[in-house]
Amino acid sequence: MDGPAGVGKSTVGQLVAKELGYRFINTGEMYRALTWKALERGLDLADEAAVLALAESLKWDFKAVDGGVALKTFVDGEGVSARIRDERVGANSSLVAANRGVRRFMCRLQRRLGRGGGIVMEGRDIATHVFPDADFKIYLDASIDERAARRYRQLKAAGVAADRQKIKEAILTRDLNDLKRKINPLAQAADALVIDSTRLNLHQVADRILKAVRAAHGG
Ligand code: DC
């Protein structure tokens, strides 16, 4: 499953995975985790060789926590999920995600995780590059205003101060970076089911996907 920032891929992906008895992986976590570590170590993110060397030096594990379907990212034994959500990591992750060696490294990890099947994986290049032979491909989209509104509501619900305009600008910048990147940019796979979720809630999106998956696989 691929799609732009803030479109609900993780929520939808987990609903679908749960229903199918599959695992779920958010591959953005991997790029964010590396960005967080690189910032923590004071690396110049534009130094591609140094950032790749850091990726290769870390121990990467993916484990389910609290009985959930999601395999969460652990780096050198430490769960990173909470630390990688802030805007500083999000904004800087575009640079790390444009690093050719890093993308090759992450792709290897992702292919290893998906080797046995039974997994919903979401990101930007999963259906186009990482798993071109996936059993089922989904491209999830929504208008920029709807994505900004969802992110705003999420932050408010979590008790975080949020500025609607700033959120929209941050999402637009991320979209642009993901779309114009030279290596494996965000794109729709030709054979993906494309869903515009602007006027659907995320449960409706998950239901639509499940119906299509079951129809395609005879059940
Ligand atoms: O989905 P997210 O916003 O957490 O992703 C974080 C960053 O990683 C973002 O800049 C897009 C990038 N990314 C990518 O290039 N390829 C992926 N498969 C997943 C994420």
Side-chain angles (χ1 to χ4, degrees):
M1 180 189 300
D2 297 307
V7 76
K9 298 186 295 292
S10 274
T11 307
V12 168
Q14 287 182 79
L15 288 169
V16 170
K18 196 165 177 196
E19 202 56 41
L20 295 175
Y22 282 14
R23 295 295 202 188
F24 167 80
I25 293 207
N26 167 343
T27 60
E29 276 197 3
M30 303 179 190
Y31 292 98
R32 284 173 178 265
L34 180 58
T35 305
W36 166 64
K37 275 283 173 194
L39 289 170
E40 201 188 41
R41 304 228 174 143
L43 293 189
D44 172 4
L45 299 186
D47 184 343
E48 299 206 345
V51 177
L52 175 58
L54 173 64
E56 286 169 339
S57 75
L58 297 167
K59 185 172 171 290
W60 296 85
D61 293 299
F62 303 91
K63 294 188 280 197
V65 293
D66 304 329
V69 292
L71 297 180
K72 308 300 284 179
T73 303
F74 286 72
V75 171
D76 283 348
E78 194 179 354
V80 298
S81 299
R83 326 186 124 77
I84 56 174
R85 287 290 135 209
D86 69 63
E87 203 38 54
R88 180 163 169 257
V89 171
N92 281 295
S93 63
S94 297
L95 201 50
V96 170
N99 180 323
R100 184 184 297 273
V102 164
R103 295 205 73 83
R104 219 178 274 140
F105 177 87
M106 296 302 179
C107 180
R108 267 202 306 274
L109 281 182
Q110 291 153 9
R111 285 186 177 151
R112 206 175 304 146
L113 287 162
R115 202 160 38 199
I119 200 153
V120 177
M121 199 176 283
E122 67 98 328
R124 303 294 191 287
D125 62 338
I126 304 303
T128 51
H129 177 70
V130 182
F131 291 108
D133 298 323
D135 287 329
F136 206 86
K137 301 181 180 180
I138 300 146
Y139 187 91
L140 199 54
D141 210 349
S143 73
I144 172 69
D145 284 317
E146 179 57 25
R147 288 185 284 137
R150 284 179 194 162
R151 184 59 47 100
Y152 178 77
R153 286 195 297 269
Q154 255 173 15
L155 291 171
K156 285 296 245 194
V160 180
D163 176 322
R164 218 181 268 263
Q165 192 53 33
K166 282 211 180 99
I167 292 173
K168 188 170 164 179
E169 281 161 18
I171 292 182
L172 277 172
T173 307
R174 303 255 302 282
D175 280 1
L176 209 63
N177 287 335
D178 287 335
L179 289 164
K180 70 166 201 251
R181 181 170 66 218
K182 281 206 194 73
I183 319 135
N184 311 134
L186 171 63
Q188 289 180 14
D191 49 350
L193 169 69
V194 180
I195 301 180
D196 182 338
S197 74
T198 306
R199 287 182 186 81
L200 299 171
N201 71 43
L202 298 179
H203 283 276
Q204 292 171 315
V205 176
D207 284 346
R208 199 173 275 198
I209 291 170
L210 284 163
K211 228 175 250 158
V213 168
R214 287 177 174 138
H217 296 280

